[in-house]
């Protein structure tokens, strides 16, 4: 893990040489690594406020619930791994864990199409490891690790082309129309540090920058969403890491930007140095370590990630106010709105977070109370009635919400 050598008690934004105090062996320091946003923020986990999601919800903003309807039992959603809401008319959803498919839904929640199909021919894949919406080229990009190929589809799900890439890529993000940031497989470097990130062209061969040095053991823990883009910059967080990296689209820098400080609960260095995964797991468990599990989502006002507290065996959703420097930790069982427990936050559009849930997570008695509450936004009540009518416990739906903030939303 990182060694915070000379951090002050304050977790305010630092000026000047913003990365001074971070282990110079692991990360570049000084003028070579300048983030134009000038953030260098220590997220002190012990100072985070325990909260319910409704405690920090913006009640003046309508919460939007959209049930997702599929047209064929062969296309049932098992788990929403990723979600994109960039399009004016479509929402793209990827289930990488169970269905191994990518879907296009209309804003009414009805499925429009499935992207590609399983197989070994053109436009087909064996197992999807990552999917991204390329906003620069307006296309969907699917990474099939077993066949080492990238597949390209238009926004209506029509196959365009595919490309062989002979690189060990875990996940990726198109940072410009010509350049990509790749998370390179680290499990072949157990017990050693290696740069997890590669800034290169699509082939992975024309390398402009490498960074985010970390022990290979971090790739042994699954991480749902590793990259999140805001204002042209891309952020990266992998499970078991305690640094959020900023990747610059212009100066091609890979810089530590936020440091997640678990104090004496951080994973011990000897655990990450272990070349035996079972031994590493035992060290983490015996130390009752807490650690991030990734799922990074960054917007204008808040950033979000998930973490596990091993000492109490609980999962938390964590939100950091990027302006007020306040952290909120929400236990998974309290991550609910109007009696509807949300399973994961998948996407953010400026201020609005989008997550998902399923019918079995709905407490209908609490939902009924919400429907009778005169203070709840009328548009929210209309959507809540749709959720109340759900009979299928596996029926998925999205939840769009906004957190309260003293700054004027812009």
């Amino acid at each position: 893990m990182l060694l915070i050598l000379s951090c002050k008690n304050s977790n305010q934004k630092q000026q000047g040489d913003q990365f001074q105090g971070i282990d110079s062996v692991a990360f570049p320091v000084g003028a070579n690594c300048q983030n134009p946003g000038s953030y260098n923020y220590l997220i002190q986990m012990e100072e985070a406020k325990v909260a319910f999601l409704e405690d920090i919800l913006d009640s003046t903003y309508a919460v939007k619930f959209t049930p997702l309807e599929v047209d064929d039992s062969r296309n049932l959603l098992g788990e929403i791994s990723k979600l994109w809401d960039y399009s004016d008319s479509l929402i793209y959803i990827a289930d990488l864990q169970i269905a191994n498919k990518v879907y296009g839904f209309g804003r009414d929640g009805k499925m429009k199409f499935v992207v590609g199909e399983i197989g070994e021919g053109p436009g087909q894949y064996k197992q999807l490891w990552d999917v991204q919406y390329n906003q620069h080229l307006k296309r969907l990009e699917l990474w099939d690790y077993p066949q080492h190929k990238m597949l390209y589809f238009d926004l209506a799900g029509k196959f365009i082309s595919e490309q062989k890439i002979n690189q060990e890529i875990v996940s990726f993000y198109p940072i410009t129309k010509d350049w990509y940031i790749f998370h390179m497989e680290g499990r072949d470097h157990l017990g050693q540090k290696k740069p997890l990130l590669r800034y290169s062209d699509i082939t992975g061969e024309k390398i402009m920058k490498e960074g985010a040095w970390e022990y290979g053991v971090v790739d042994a823990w699954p991480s749902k969403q590793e990259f999140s883009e805001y204002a042209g910059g891309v952020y990266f967080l992998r499970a078991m890491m305690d640094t959020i990296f900023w990747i610059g689209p212009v100066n091609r820098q890979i810089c530590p930007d936020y440091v997640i400080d678990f104090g004496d609960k951080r994973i011990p260095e000897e655990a990450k140095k272990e070349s035996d995964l079972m031994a590493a797991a035992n060290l983490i468990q015996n130390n009752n370590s807490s650690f991030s599990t990734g799922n990074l989502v960054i917007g204008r006002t808040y950033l979000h990630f998930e973490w596990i507290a091993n000492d109490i065996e609980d999962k938390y959703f964590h939100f950091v106010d990027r302006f007020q420097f306040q952290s909120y930790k929400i236990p998974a069982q309290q991550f609910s709105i109007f009696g509807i427990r949300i399973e994961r936050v998948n996407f953010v559009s400026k201020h609005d977070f989008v997550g998902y849930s399923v019918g079995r997570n709905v407490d209908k008695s609490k939902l009924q109370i919400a429907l009778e509450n005169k203070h709840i936004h009328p548009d929210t009540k209309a959507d809540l009635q749709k959720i109340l009518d759900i009979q299928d416990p596996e029926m998925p739906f999205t939840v769009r919400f906004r957190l309260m903030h003293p700054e004027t939303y812009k």
Side-chain angles (χ1 to χ4, degrees), residues 62 64 162 169 248 365 371:
K64 178 69 176 175
E162 61 184 45
I169 298 168
S365 61
L371 283 169

Side-chain angles (χ1 to χ4, degrees), residues 104-344:
F105 285 86
R107 294 207 169 274
D108 58 0
K110 294 181 179 180
M111 194 185 77
K112 301 296 186 182
F113 54 82
V114 178
V115 181
E117 59 183 358
I118 298 172
E120 299 183 14
Q124 298 179 328
Y125 53 84
K126 283 187 177 180
Q127 178 62 55
L128 295 175
W129 274 54
D130 198 14
V131 182
Q132 292 292 350
Y133 175 105
N134 188 323
Q135 56 184 317
H136 311 288
L137 298 176
K138 304 301 179 185
R139 69 187 185 189
L140 299 173
E141 300 180 349
L142 285 61
W143 172 237
D144 178 5
Y145 195 165
Q147 297 190 90
H148 283 85
K149 68 178 182 179
M150 191 78 76
L151 298 93
Y152 306 111
F153 296 83
D154 68 17
L155 299 186
K158 183 180 179 181
F159 176 62
I160 301 172
S161 63
E162 61 184 45
Q163 183 173 3
K164 196 76 172 178
I165 303 177
N166 294 314
Q167 304 289 340
E168 306 303 307
I169 298 168
V170 175
S171 61
F172 70 98
Y173 199 92
I175 196 164
T176 71
K177 69 181 184 66
D178 298 312
W179 297 97
Y180 285 71
I181 192 78
F182 292 119
H183 170 192
M184 308 302 295
E185 174 69 75
R187 285 179 295 178
D188 56 344
H189 287 72
L190 293 177
Q192 309 172 50
K193 277 188 176 180
K194 68 165 289 186
L196 293 185
L197 296 183
R198 176 180 296 180
Y199 200 131
S200 75
D201 66 346
I202 185 60
T203 68
E205 296 175 356
K206 188 177 180 181
I207 302 172
M208 301 301 294
K209 186 81 174 181
E210 291 186 319
W213 288 76
E214 188 51 279
Y215 290 101
V217 69
V218 301
D219 277 340
W221 185 279
S223 191
K224 302 296 182 184
Q225 175 133 329
E226 301 182 341
F227 294 104
S228 184
E229 185 270 340
Y230 179 73
V234 177
Y235 294 79
F236 172 80
L237 175 66
R238 175 69 184 176
M240 296 182 68
M241 295 177 64
D242 58 6
T243 302
I244 299 173
F245 288 88
W246 173 87
I247 301 119
V250 178
N251 57 7
R252 299 168 187 167
Q253 293 300 308
I254 300 172
C255 306
D257 198 9
Y258 291 82
V259 174
I260 304 168
D261 182 15
F262 285 104
D264 59 6
K265 292 295 185 181
R266 65 167 59 94
I267 296 177
E269 187 81 0
E270 57 268 27
K272 301 190 80 173
K273 289 180 178 179
E274 267 290 347
S275 58
D276 181 273
L277 291 178
M278 185 60 71
N282 288 335
L283 282 169
I284 292 171
Q285 186 172 10
N286 293 338
N287 192 63
N288 289 328
S289 299
S290 298
F291 57 91
S292 161
T293 54
N295 197 32
L296 178 68
V297 184
I298 292 186
R300 173 170 169 78
T301 45
Y302 285 88
L303 71 82
H304 161 274
F305 58 89
E306 297 173 13
W307 59 280
I308 287 177
N310 258 350
D311 54 347
I312 56 175
E313 298 182 350
D314 203 358
K315 170 184 170 182
Y316 287 87
F317 294 85
H318 205 93
F319 290 89
V320 179
D321 184 327
R322 301 178 69 196
F323 291 84
Q324 301 298 314
F325 308 104
Q326 177 61 59
S327 285
Y328 301 93
K329 59 181 181 181
I330 305 175
Q333 294 303 315
Q334 297 175 12
F335 195 60
S336 61
I337 300 176
F338 313 131
I340 301 167
R341 185 169 61 83
I342 301 172
E343 293 202 359
R344 178 167 294 117

